């Protein structure tokens, strides 16, 4: 009897240990997801405080997503090499330090650098967190519950980010949207040291540093070219040189991946038509989504005069629609219909939402013109993201599961980087041209400048809608597979739509 009792106590203690470990892992992922939207709400205040230009403000978002996406594959390899728990703790500590550095920023360049550091440490933190979750919960029943809790917390991170960002910006100041990561990271590090268990790192793992340098360097050059097109013009030699350099580096990256001993992105992962279609659909879809976040944040606060808190709450219907579309529609239908039967309508809904927003004026109303578009966008993204993750990871060999998941995340972050830079450049260029053409005297400035700003937003949103339609076309033509027959990717997919 005593032996049985001891065994039961040990099992219960182990179960409690695992579920507390889940809290630690989910809290870390929540922090990474929250940090994207919390800074969106604070961006207008930070721009005024640090005197950023309209053309350069996007770097607060782009520096984070570019470093995150560009280094994510490398971060997964580092976790294999030095151990998941060690990488997790170092990622948390570095993320906290970068957040404190950004909160104390006295110049725009200092803030951009801090955001890039945050992205770099997030690239180490995110894959190690998911790997720890996978290795901690191995029983099928527990695994489903763990991924459900993890996914719900991560999916709600967007909504929490908007609300917390609004509260901190309105009642303290924008700097606290970065400082808030410090206490969260400290608590999570202490929990990780006490609760997480991990195997030693693999001695045979190798880092593809040339691949990381070529891939990240190419992405930085392309995104920087988009941002420089606004002040310099699209035909300026510097802009054309940046595009040429970025293209050359990315081609060199593709060439090297076919020859590297341990490539960051094994070429065979991309040879599957359905998987490649999912990667491309994700990249194109997020171009429009990140642009929407940027423009609507400014539209609500600068044009409609919303407070930061009210602006954050205004995004909640979109977040609810994303969760509904992903968990209540896609997750139920994907067992019965091909993935593109969800992805194509999802992209059409998202494109329709953006087309509604092209009608915005300085006198538009949230309830009648903004809210319907946000709900449609959320449903469209929810319909699309869940089958993208499920299809991209279906039938993948165990040794390729990590790199495949990381590649989908990389597509998401790279799409956000390119979309934010490109659409912000289109918006600011169109706004400047409108103001120049319509401003004939100082007395008209109070009317013409806001009109010009909204005109720039609508021009960029037209382009975003075209990209969404292109994403739907890609999904319809390339993703021809049947419904995935496995469950894990669906569990994973729920956590991703609003990262």
């Amino acid at each position: 009897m005593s032996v049985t009792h001891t065994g039961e106590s040990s099992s219960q203690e182990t179960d409690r240990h695992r579920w507390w470990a889940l809290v630690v892992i989910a809290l870390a992922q929540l922090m990474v997801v929250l940090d994207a939207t919390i800074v969106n709400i604070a961006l207008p205040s930070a721009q005024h405080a640090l005197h950023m230009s309209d053309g350069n403000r996007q770097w607060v978002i782009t520096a984070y997503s570019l470093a995150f996406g560009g280094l994510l594959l490398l971060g997964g390899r580092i976790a294999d090499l030095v151990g998941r728990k060690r990488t997790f703790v170092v990622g948390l500590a570095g993320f906290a330090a970068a957040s404190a550095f950004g909160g104390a920023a006295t110049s725009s360049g200092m803030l951009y650098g801090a955001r890039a550091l945050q992205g770099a440490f997030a690239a180490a933190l995110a894959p190690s967190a998911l790997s720890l979750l996978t290795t901690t919960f191995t029983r099928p029943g527990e695994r489903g519950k763990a991924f459900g809790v993890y996914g719900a917390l991560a999916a709600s991170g967007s909504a929490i980010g908007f609300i917390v960002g609004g509260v901190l910006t309105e009642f303290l100041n924008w700097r606290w949207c970065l400082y808030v990561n410090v206490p969260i990271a400290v608590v999570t590090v202490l929990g990780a040291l006490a609760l997480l268990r991990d195997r030693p790192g693999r001695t045979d793992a190798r880092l593809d540093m040339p691949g990381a340098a070529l891939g990240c360097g190419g992405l930085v050059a392309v995104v920087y070219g988009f941002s420089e097109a606004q002040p310099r013009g699209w035909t300026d030699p510097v802009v054309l040189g940046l595009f040429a350099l970025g293209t050359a580096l990315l081609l060199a990256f593709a060439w090297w991946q076919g020859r590297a001993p341990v490539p960051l992105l094994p070429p065979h992962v991309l040879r599957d038509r359905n998987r490649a279609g999912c990667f491309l659909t994700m990249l194109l879809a997020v171009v429009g989504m990140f642009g929407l976040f940027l423009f609507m944040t400014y539209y609500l606060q600068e044009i409609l005069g919303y407070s930061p808190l009210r602006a954050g709450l205004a995004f909640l219907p979109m977040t609810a629609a994303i969760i509904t579309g992903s968990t209540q529609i896609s997750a139920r239908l994907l067992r019965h219909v091909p993935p593109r039967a969800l992805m194509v309508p999802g992209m059409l809904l998202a494109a329709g939402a953006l087309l509604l927003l092209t009608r915005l004026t300085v006198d538009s109303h949230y309830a009648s013109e903004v809210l319907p578009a946000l709900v449609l966008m959320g449903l469209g993204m929810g319909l699309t993201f869940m089958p993208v993750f499920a299809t991209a990871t279906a039938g993948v060999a165990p040794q390729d599961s990590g790199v495949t998941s990381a590649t989908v995340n990389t597509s998401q972050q790279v799409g956000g980087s390119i979309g934010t830079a490109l659409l912000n450049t289109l918006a600011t260029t169109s706004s400047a041209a409108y103001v120049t053409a319509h401003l004939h005297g100082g007395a008209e400035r109070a009317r013409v400048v806001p009109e010009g700003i909204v005109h720039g937003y609508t021009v960029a949103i037209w382009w975003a809608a075209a990209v969404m339609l292109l994403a739907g076309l890609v999904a319809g033509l390339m993703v021809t597979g049947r419904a995935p027959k496995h469950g894990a990717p669906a569990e994973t997919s729920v956590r991703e739509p609003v990262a």
Side-chain angles (χ1 to χ4, degrees), residues 91-406:
L92 280 169
F95 197 91
S99 299
F101 183 61
T106 56
S107 67
S108 57
M110 186 174 173
L111 181 58
Y112 302 153
R115 290 288 288 164
L117 281 175
Q118 280 186 308
F121 283 109
L125 179 59
S128 58
L130 188 56
S131 296
L132 284 166
L133 184 69
T134 303
T135 56
T136 300
F137 293 92
T138 55
R139 300 174 189 171
E142 287 188 349
R143 185 183 178 88
K145 293 178 183 178
F147 270 97
V149 173
Y150 181 85
L153 285 174
S156 64
S158 176
I160 296 172
F162 283 128
I163 296 173
V164 173
V167 170
L168 294 175
T169 303
E170 187 162 345
F171 295 108
L172 294 172
N173 60 53
W174 66 268
R175 297 179 184 277
W176 281 95
C177 293
L178 294 162
Y179 286 143
V180 71
N181 292 320
V182 177
I184 296 175
V186 169
V187 171
T188 310
V189 165
L190 294 176
L193 293 174
L195 297 168
L196 297 184
R197 301 290 181 267
D198 189 27
R199 300 169 186 170
R202 288 170 43 192
T203 57
D204 61 333
R206 298 176 62 181
L207 298 182
D208 180 15
M209 297 306 296
L214 290 170
C216 195
L219 291 173
V220 169
V222 170
V223 172
Y224 190 45
F226 282 131
S227 66
E228 285 297 299
Q230 188 268 326
R232 296 176 179 271
W234 291 98
T235 58
D236 184 85
V238 173
V239 174
L240 295 177
L242 286 168
F243 286 147
L245 175 62
T247 302
L249 290 174
L250 291 175
L251 289 174
F253 171 78
W255 173 85
W256 172 250
Q257 293 308 285
R259 291 157 178 78
V262 185
L264 283 178
L265 181 56
H268 67 266
V269 172
L270 299 177
R271 291 192 186 115
D272 182 89
R273 175 176 178 170
N274 290 288
R275 193 170 299 125
C278 287
F279 295 154
L280 187 54
T281 299
M282 173 63 79
L283 187 148
L284 293 171
V286 177
V287 165
M289 187 178 182
F290 270 56
L292 176 72
F293 279 152
L294 178 66
F295 298 137
M296 293 313 300
T297 296
Y298 274 88
Y299 180 79
L300 293 171
Q301 294 188 54
E302 301 292 318
I303 304 300
L304 297 188
Y306 279 26
S307 67
L309 176 57
R310 190 179 179 189
L313 293 172
F315 280 99
L316 288 185
M318 179 178 175
T319 302
I322 290 175
I323 297 173
T324 300
S326 178
T327 62
Q328 302 304 312
I329 301 177
S330 284
R332 295 175 185 271
L333 293 180
L334 188 58
R335 304 173 187 174
H336 311 290
V337 301
R340 64 177 173 180
L342 297 170
M343 295 162 63
V344 174
M347 287 294 89
L348 292 177
L349 280 177
L354 291 169
L355 291 176
L356 287 178
L357 292 175
T358 61
R359 303 168 56 193
L360 289 177
T361 68
V362 293
D363 300 315
S364 294
H365 299 285
Y366 173 81
S368 59
E369 289 155 284
V370 177
L371 178 60
L374 292 180
V375 172
L376 281 178
M377 173 64 79
L379 287 174
M381 288 299 180
L383 283 173
T384 302
F385 282 163
M386 190 273 177
V388 163
F389 277 94
T391 306
T393 54
V396 176
Q399 64 268 24
D400 292 328
S401 60
V403 71
T404 303
S405 178

Side-chain angles (χ1 to χ4, degrees), residues 28-84:
Q29 178 66 15
L30 177 64
M31 183 179 66
V32 172
V33 174
L34 177 148
D35 213 68
T37 52
I38 198 173
V39 173
N40 264 283
I41 293 296
L43 188 52
S45 299
Q47 181 181 359
H48 292 312
L50 300 180
H51 310 292
M52 301 177 206
S53 68
D54 286 348
N56 288 332
R57 67 190 178 192
Q58 51 90 14
W59 280 106
V60 177
I61 299 170
T62 303
Y64 179 80
S65 58
L66 190 59
F68 193 177
L71 298 174
L72 193 57
L73 293 170
L74 183 64
R77 293 292 189 192
I78 291 173
D80 286 339
L81 180 63
V82 304
R84 298 179 182 93

